[in-house]
Structures are given as structure tokens and as C-alpha cells.
């Protein structure tokens, strides 16, 4: 059994122990969200608004898309959610529209301003933050408890774990022992995915090394000179930035730029990487395919 699966089982058992007396009886559900807010639901929520694509995808992967009455503007998977009302995003949530839809709960990541406004208007919010790779499993388990379908959550976590393990096994075999030094740029700040981010952890599972050190944090903003001083073998970046990397001061001589060892991803693949949710194995596969192709 993998270390990740052990963690998933421990997490689910811990969450279930705290919530089971309420969650699996006819009485109320009492849970703590990822911000440690204790929430009480008289019954499992039927009208849900999600303000984050990864949370939308988690609800749907658990087979409960029908409970969604609206999502944020970026939620576009599965295809059925595209026709739902859109309520902005975490930075510009359309508060009046959300209230008018009478949700039983609003799912969101850490967004104190939006959370406080919604709670001030009498709505219930549920925070589920996935900053690390292991948090994906924890979020699935939490939402499974919230929706009163913990068995489905456990099954989904097992499915995710097996899919990720399969990608890792295949990629490591195809890399033939190569352990390239990589730089993953999440935004042109430049902001990078550090080794403690969920993206960094996925890359580590493939056996590659990160130019970003853990002390810089999960998603640090770097001085561009940092990348020049720690030249990567491979750069992973969004397509709109890939063509411009050589124009950055000093970057023409970075091995990855000089030799064209750059991975960029179409929007559909990019979303599976950027969203820490149930399609994480697809994102891992997209990165693995490119690394196998371009890594020295």
C-alpha cells in the first residue's frame, strides 16, 4: 500500500470518527471544514454553489452534479456544468446573485472577504483548501461527508490513487533513470510551483528535481535572475509564455530555453494540472508525457 493511500485511509477514518454520529444517522451533520470552522447541517445540502473549479469537479466526480445550482465562471468540467448560472469567482463573487439562488451551502477556498459577506447575509459556507497533493484526498473525504456519501468518497480516492500510481510507474519506466532539473512556472510574475505545492509533489513523484527550494514556499514569486542562477533542464509553462522566454534577460542561455526543452500545455490539459481535484492523474500524465519526450 502506498504512503499516499495510507494517508487517505487515516484521513478518512479521522474525519469519519469526528462526524459519523451525526453524518450517518437521521440527525444533523456536524463537520469542521479546512479552516476549522465547525458547521452544522440539519440534513445533507441539496442546493450547492461552488466557487472553485476543483470543488465543482469533486462534487461531480462523486456523482452529485445535480445538487449544483451555480458555479464560478471558470468551472467548465464536466460539460454539464457549463450551462449552470455563473456567479463570478473568489475575487469578484456576485454576492446578490448567490443569495438569490438560495443555496444550502457555498463551497469555496480560503477567501475571508467573500466568506464573511456571505455569512453576514445568513448563508452557510464550507471551505475546502487543497494546497498540497495530500489535501486533494482530504477534500474529497470532507465533501463526501458533507454530501453524506463517504463510501463514494473512499472509492473515488482509491480510484485517484491507483490512476496516479499507474502514471508514475509508466513515466519512471519511460524516463529510464533520467532525473531532470525542472522549473514549473504558474504565472509570468514569475511565480513558480515549489516542491511543497501539489504540482511540485506531483513532479517529485515522477522523479524529477525542482530548482525551487522548500524554504521559498509552495508558490513563490521569484526574481527572474533566480532561474538564470539555477538553470533548469526543462521548463514547464503556459503556451502564451513559452515563445517569450528567450526575451527575458539572461534566459537565452538557460539550457531548457537554448535547447528548446520546454513543456507547454493546451487549456484542457493545463486545467487538469492547475486544479487540485479528481482529474489530478490526467494532469500528471500530461506532464509525464512531455518530460519523457524532452528531458535530457
Amino acid at each position: 500500500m502506498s504512503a499516499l493511500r495510507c494517508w487517505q485511509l487515516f484521513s478518512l477514518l479521522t474525519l469519519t470518527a469526528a462526524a459519523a454520529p451525526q453524518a450517518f444517522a437521521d440527525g444533523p451533520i456536524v463537520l469542521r471544514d479546512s479552516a476549522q470552522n465547525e458547521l452544522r447541517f440539519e440534513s445533507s445540502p441539496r442546493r450547492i454553489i461552488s466557487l472553485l473549479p476543483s470543488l465543482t469537479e469533486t462534487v461531480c466526480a462523486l456523482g452529485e452534479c445535480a445538487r449544483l445550482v451555480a458555479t464560478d465562471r471558470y468551472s467548465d468540467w464536466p460539460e454539464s456544468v457549463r450551462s449552470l448560472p455563473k456567479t463570478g469567482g473568489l475575487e469578484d463573487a456576485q454576492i446578490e446573485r448567490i443569495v438569490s439562488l438560495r443555496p444550502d451551502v457555498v463551497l469555496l477556498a480560503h477567501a475571508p472577504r467573500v466568506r464573511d459577506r456571505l455569512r453576514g447575509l445568513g448563508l452557510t459556507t464550507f471551505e475546502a483548501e487543497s494546497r498540497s497533493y495530500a489535501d486533494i484526498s482530504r477534500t474529497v473525504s470532507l465533501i463526501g461527508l458533507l454530501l453524506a456519501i463517504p463510501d463514494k468518497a473512499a472509492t473515488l480516492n482509491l480510484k485517484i490513487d491507483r490512476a496516479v500510481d499507474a502514471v508514475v510507474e509508466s513515466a519512471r519506466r519511460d524516463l529510464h533513470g533520467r532525473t531532470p532539473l525542472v522549473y514549473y512556472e504558474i504565472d509570468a510574475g514569475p511565480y513558480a510551483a515549489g516542491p511543497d505545492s501539489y504540482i511540485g509533489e506531483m513532479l517529485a513523484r515522477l522523479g524529477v528535481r525542482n530548482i525551487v527550494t522548500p524554504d521559498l514556499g509552495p508558490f513563490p514569486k521569484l526574481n527572474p535572475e533566480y532561474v538564470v542562477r539555477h538553470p533548469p533542464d526543462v521548463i514547464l509553462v503556459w503556451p502564451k509564455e513559452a515563445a517569450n522566454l528567450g526575451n527575458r534577460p539572461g534566459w537565452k542561455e538557460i539550457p531548457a530555453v537554448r535547447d528548446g526543452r520546454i513543456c507547454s500545455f493546451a487549456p484542457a490539459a493545463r486545467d487538469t494540472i492547475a486544479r487540485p481535484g479528481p482529474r489530478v492523474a490526467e494532469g500528471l500524465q500530461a506532464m509525464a508525457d512531455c518530460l519523457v519526450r524532452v528531458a535530457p
Side-chain angles (χ1 to χ4, degrees):
M1 182 180 292
S2 69
L4 176 59
R5 183 58 189 153
C6 288
W7 187 97
Q8 289 173 338
L9 290 172
F10 173 78
S11 174
L12 181 59
L13 289 171
T14 301
L15 289 166
T16 302
Q22 293 83 14
F24 308 122
D26 294 331
I29 298 171
V30 180
L31 290 172
R32 287 188 181 274
D33 65 12
S34 63
Q36 298 304 305
N37 299 305
E38 185 172 284
L39 303 169
R40 178 186 176 93
F41 299 87
E42 294 306 317
S43 60
S44 183
R46 304 306 305 176
R47 296 180 59 81
I48 298 171
I49 292 178
S50 169
L51 293 182
L52 198 66
S54 59
L55 299 180
T56 302
E57 295 185 12
T58 299
V59 171
C60 289
L62 288 168
E64 299 297 329
C65 252
R67 301 200 201 193
L68 292 168
V69 296
T71 73
D72 65 289
R73 68 164 64 86
Y74 303 107
S75 288
D76 56 5
W77 187 92
E79 188 173 351
S80 61
V81 305
R82 297 177 184 177
S83 61
L84 290 173
K86 302 302 177 183
T87 57
L90 288 176
E91 298 298 323
D92 60 350
Q94 298 172 7
I95 302 298
E96 291 183 2
R97 184 165 176 74
I98 291 172
V99 173
S100 72
L101 290 168
R102 299 177 290 105
D104 298 322
V105 66
V106 179
L107 304 180
L108 70 169
H110 185 64
R113 185 180 64 84
V114 174
R115 177 199 64 203
D116 293 346
R117 288 188 65 191
L118 292 173
R119 288 187 174 184
L121 293 169
L123 296 187
T124 300
T125 65
F126 189 87
E127 292 187 32
E129 191 87 22
S130 294
R131 295 185 177 184
S132 70
Y133 187 79
D135 283 343
I136 296 171
S137 172
R138 185 176 62 83
T139 294
V140 169
S141 297
L142 273 172
I143 293 180
L145 289 170
L146 177 67
L147 302 182
I149 49 172
D151 291 345
K152 285 187 177 180
T155 298
L156 177 58
N157 275 331
L158 182 59
K159 179 181 177 182
I160 293 170
D161 188 33
R162 287 175 172 170
V164 167
D165 284 347
V167 173
V168 169
E169 181 180 357
S170 175
R172 282 181 173 261
R173 183 177 59 248
D174 293 342
L175 282 167
H176 300 294
R178 288 175 289 169
T179 59
L181 192 62
V182 303
Y183 163 63
Y184 191 106
E185 184 171 289
I186 62 170
D187 191 69
Y191 288 90
D196 291 336
S197 68
Y198 63 90
I199 293 175
E201 290 173 343
M202 286 195 294
L203 288 168
R205 287 173 71 87
L206 298 176
V208 305
R209 296 166 293 138
N210 200 320
I211 69 167
V212 178
T213 54
D215 59 290
L216 295 178
F219 296 106
K221 182 176 182 179
L222 301 177
N223 185 320
E225 179 66 19
Y226 180 95
V227 184
V228 177
R229 288 186 285 106
H230 301 81
D233 299 315
V234 178
I235 292 176
L236 300 96
V237 67
W238 298 150
K240 67 179 181 180
E241 294 298 326
N244 300 319
L245 296 179
N247 297 326
R248 298 179 184 181
W251 282 45
K252 280 186 178 180
E253 297 308 312
I254 294 175
V257 177
R258 183 189 64 224
D259 300 333
R261 294 196 296 265
I262 297 171
C263 295
S264 62
F265 305 97
R270 178 195 63 200
D271 288 345
T272 64
I273 299 169
R275 298 173 182 177
R279 295 192 293 160
V280 63
E282 295 180 38
L284 184 62
Q285 184 70 67
M287 292 193 292
D289 288 344
C290 189
L291 288 168
V292 168
R293 187 171 66 251
V294 307

